[in-house]
Amino acid sequence: MPKEALAVAFPPSAQSSDEVARATCADLFAATVQPVMIVDAGQDWIIEANAAAARVLGTQRRQLIGASFVSLFDEPSGRRLELALEAIRSHGVATNGDMRVAFSDSI
């Protein structure tokens, strides 16, 4: 099964490499068709979400920002996700697992 990868190359410019990297990451984040959310594992809140994530969840992007990440999932998945977040807090890594989104008006 082939893996997908995306590489971005840009010419040297007067901007610092950090500025270019930040802008490039922001552009990629916004443009990707895959749902992506950045979550604060310590506080269980969504820091950022792209349009694809909002579309999949049937809500507006601005409604996701600051919302509880765990609350987006059904109860069994939420418990597994809380364990994964605890592993991230304790060890910096978590295992993968199947999670099911709980579609509701609670976002």
Side-chain angles (χ1 to χ4, degrees), residues 78-89:
R79 283 193 301 270
R80 287 192 303 276
L81 185 54
E82 285 186 356
L83 291 172
L85 291 174
E86 179 59 38
I88 291 169
R89 287 189 290 269

Side-chain angles (χ1 to χ4, degrees), residues 5-64:
L6 177 62
V8 177
F10 48 88
S13 70
Q15 291 180 305
S16 75
S17 59
D18 285 347
E19 290 171 332
V20 172
R22 268 190 231 102
T24 301
C25 287
D27 290 345
L28 290 172
F29 185 79
T32 184
V33 296
Q34 296 297 320
V36 178
M37 289 183 275
I38 299 173
V39 177
D40 181 324
Q43 301 297 318
D44 175 36
W45 61 279
I46 300 168
I47 297 169
E48 186 59 80
N50 68 355
R55 191 171 36 259
V56 165
L57 294 169
T59 189
Q60 297 293 314
R61 188 185 144 277
R62 67 181 173 272
Q63 291 178 293
L64 290 171

